[in-house]
Amino acid sequence: MSAPLLEIDDLVVSFTTRRGRIQAVRGVTLQVHPGETLGVVGESGSGKSVTMQAVMGVVDSPGAVESGDIRWRGKSLLASAVEAEDLRGRDIVMVFQDAMTSLDPLFPIGTQIGEVLARHRGLKGPAARARILELLELVGIPNAAARLNYLPHQFSGGMRQRIMIAMALAADPSLLVADEPTTALDVTIQAQIVDLLIELRDRLGLAIVLVTHDLGLVAELCDRVAVMYAGRIVEVADVWSLFAAPAHPYTAGLLRATPAIGDLPERLDTIEGSPPDPSDLPAGCAFRLRCPRADATCVVEPPMSHPDTGRSVLCWHPEPPPVTTRPETAHV
Ligand SMILES: Nc1ncnc2c1ncn2[C@@H]1O[C@H](COP(=O)(O)OP(=O)(O)OP(=O)(O)O)[C@@H](O)[C@H]1O
Ligand SMILES: [Mg+2]
């Protein structure tokens, strides 16, 4: 496998709150390789966004990276703020759930994309204009030349999302981090944005980190999946293995709680209980109080094991793999 683009190494991010210091991210280790699409899933509050905010250097105050490292092509982003600033927004870019958080409501979209081109690529004048039109065409904005002077609110939500993606792609990034990129959109527009991401990935060879609650989207889009729980990664697997044989009891619970096509919603299981309070985590495995497989061993923190299957799972008692053979072509 080629060298990773991004390496997150034992990352700890904490927030100082009225109730004391809480660790939102508690030792996350993760790699993203060129061209791959990695899904990051897990319940609300599990630390998905904060991990990615740390990568982008935009952890909200009063949060801070406490320890660990984040490397881009082998170089620490935490060691040199100047270099990291240059890489972010150029090689590593992020799109958010709500395009209005990235687009300035007061400036025409052409100007905003132009700024990225000037800053990261030194492009100005007619060359910049040509590139802006090319980018807008790439993301499927019809009649782009006539709309360069439109303000963000003059576009629909789906179109704004496309413009935000065009802006993110302006400087030819290698990695696109998308945090819930379709959640705020209605279902048909969601599907169009997903198709756009697939097309861009295939055409541009982009690596994508997709943060989402939508396991259907993960199955459709991702090569690998990292499952987060209470600030830790509890399982990492290729998408086929994860869906066919979840190893962590939490992953298994998440999948049972996800409707398959044709299932009636009332037949779905739920994971009993709620995620632990980050300021009051149980000793040992953070999932143990909700876990059907937990026993006395689980009061000790489990290691991220690599059992015979090559699976990474943070659990003393992973689910046994089902007795099936892998088909020639994976259909998830
Ligand atoms: N600015 C902040 N101040 C204090 N705590 C914060 C702040 N931002 C995040 N947190 C805490 O960090 C933890 C992880 O939050 P994060 O936003 O990463 O969750 P998430 O997995 O992205 O959830 P969701 O699926 O709801 O987006 C949560 O307990 C959250 O309350
Ligand atoms: Mg989030």
Side-chain angles (χ1 to χ4, degrees):
M1 197 184 273
S2 50
L5 288 175
L6 179 73
E7 294 165 275
I8 302 176
D9 192 5
D10 206 11
L11 181 74
V12 177
V13 183
S14 60
F15 289 92
T16 311
T17 69
R18 273 181 297 141
R19 294 157 66 202
R21 197 172 55 93
I22 61 148
Q23 288 189 336
V25 175
R26 302 187 299 132
V28 161
T29 295
L30 195 62
Q31 293 88 36
V32 184
H33 295 270
E36 81 166 333
T37 304
L38 173 77
V40 180
V41 302
E43 270 164 312
S44 199
S46 55
K48 306 181 297 294
S49 294
V50 172
T51 303
M52 292 309 144
Q53 285 158 9
V55 169
M56 299 309 295
V58 292
V59 174
D60 276 342
S61 146
V65 172
E66 200 177 297
S67 59
D69 202 4
I70 302 170
R71 288 183 294 276
W72 177 255
R73 299 188 192 274
K75 280 178 104 178
S76 173
L77 291 177
L78 303 180
S80 162
V82 178
E83 259 180 60
E85 213 37 56
D86 191 42
L87 286 169
R88 292 167 175 144
R90 190 185 69 191
D91 287 358
I92 323 167
V93 295
M94 186 155 174
V95 296
F96 301 88
Q97 183 183 118
D98 176 10
M100 280 320 252
T101 57
S102 310
L103 295 171
D104 188 326
L106 300 177
F107 290 93
I109 58 138
T111 310
Q112 298 191 48
I113 301 175
E115 267 170 22
V116 180
L117 288 174
R119 173 149 163 241
H120 290 295
R121 285 283 175 252
L123 273 186
K124 294 213 167 89
R129 186 186 148 86
R131 176 72 179 137
I132 295 168
L133 290 176
E134 192 181 283
L135 285 161
L136 289 171
E137 199 167 302
L138 181 72
V139 299
I141 301 285
N143 205 4
R147 300 166 98 180
L148 288 181
N149 288 324
Y150 281 23
L151 295 170
H153 78 263
Q154 290 174 286
F155 294 89
S156 68
M159 286 291 161
R160 276 202 294 271
Q161 203 71 355
R162 287 172 190 269
I163 292 163
M164 183 166 67
I165 293 170
M167 198 156 96
L169 297 177
D172 292 326
S174 305
L175 172 66
L176 175 77
V177 178
D179 192 346
E180 305 276 3
T182 62
T183 312
L185 304 169
D186 71 52
V187 182
T188 47
I189 308 292
Q190 275 184 16
Q192 291 170 11
I193 297 292
V194 170
D195 288 345
L196 174 64
L197 288 176
I198 294 173
E199 189 194 326
L200 292 172
R201 176 190 62 187
D202 296 346
R203 259 172 82 169
L204 308 176
L206 268 181
I208 297 180
V209 174
L210 177 71
V211 176
T212 182
H213 286 265
D214 186 341
L215 289 172
L217 200 58
V218 168
E220 192 175 353
L221 218 62
C222 297
D223 304 308
R224 278 193 315 137
V225 192
V227 182
M228 285 194 74
Y229 188 80
R232 289 197 199 283
I233 289 178
V234 296
E235 181 164 7
V236 185
D238 71 82
V239 76
W240 195 93
S241 307
L242 191 102
F243 278 84
H248 198 285
Y250 174 66
T251 316
L254 267 189
L255 293 181
R256 279 196 297 271
T258 302
I261 291 168
D263 260 4
L264 293 173
E266 53 270 26
R267 279 202 250 131
L268 289 177
D269 287 343
T270 53
I271 303 175
E272 291 286 316
S274 43
D277 179 346
S279 65
D280 188 21
L281 291 173
C285 171
F287 186 57
R288 70 182 166 84
L289 301 177
R290 302 170 76 187
C291 182
R293 302 177 69 82
D295 64 14
T297 328
C298 307
V299 296
V300 176
E301 185 70 55
M304 192 69 165
S305 63
H306 297 268
D308 300 343
T309 51
R311 302 281 289 271
S312 302
V313 53
L314 190 75
C315 182
W316 291 113
H317 310 298
E319 303 265 340
V323 195
T324 52
T325 45
R326 185 177 178 145
E328 284 299 303
T329 336
H331 285 293
V332 224

